[in-house]
Amino acid sequence: MIMEFNRELDARGLHCPLPILKTKKALADMTSGQVLRVLATDSGSVRDFQAFAKQTGNDLLSQTEENREYVFFMKRK
């Protein structure tokens, strides 16, 4: 399944909390309903993105992992 997105954030090589902080900043620059695709390599980011979605109300539409690379799709509330 190919998911449409409005913007992409490359957070590969960054460690906690930088992927979340950069995601928060990117989402702030987007309009409601837009989708952000985030690429990350920090294994802790799976748990972090789930918590971030709950705390902020932004929707975590999808999260996948392939070859220790994580892809998240976040929808701005």
Side-chain angles (χ1 to χ4, degrees):
M1 180 176 95
I2 297 175
M3 191 171 299
E4 304 253 337
F5 59 93
N6 304 96
R7 188 170 170 187
E8 183 172 77
L9 171 64
D10 187 351
R12 292 176 290 191
L14 300 178
H15 300 285
C16 183
L18 288 176
I20 290 294
L21 292 175
K22 289 189 174 281
T23 296
K24 183 177 180 181
K25 184 178 184 327
L27 285 170
D29 292 337
M30 297 171 70
T31 60
S32 181
Q34 288 190 316
V35 176
L36 175 67
R37 178 178 185 234
V38 183
L39 307 172
T41 50
D42 182 6
S43 61
S45 63
V46 172
R47 184 180 61 251
D48 292 343
F49 273 86
Q50 291 169 351
F52 176 74
K54 285 181 183 169
Q55 290 173 352
T56 63
N58 295 301
D59 289 330
L60 179 57
L61 300 175
S62 169
Q63 63 180 35
T64 57
E65 186 262 328
E66 188 174 317
N67 300 325
R68 289 197 263 173
E69 188 166 292
Y70 305 92
V71 181
F72 303 95
F73 286 89
M74 297 283 307
K75 184 176 183 182
R76 176 130 167 31
K77 66 175 181 182

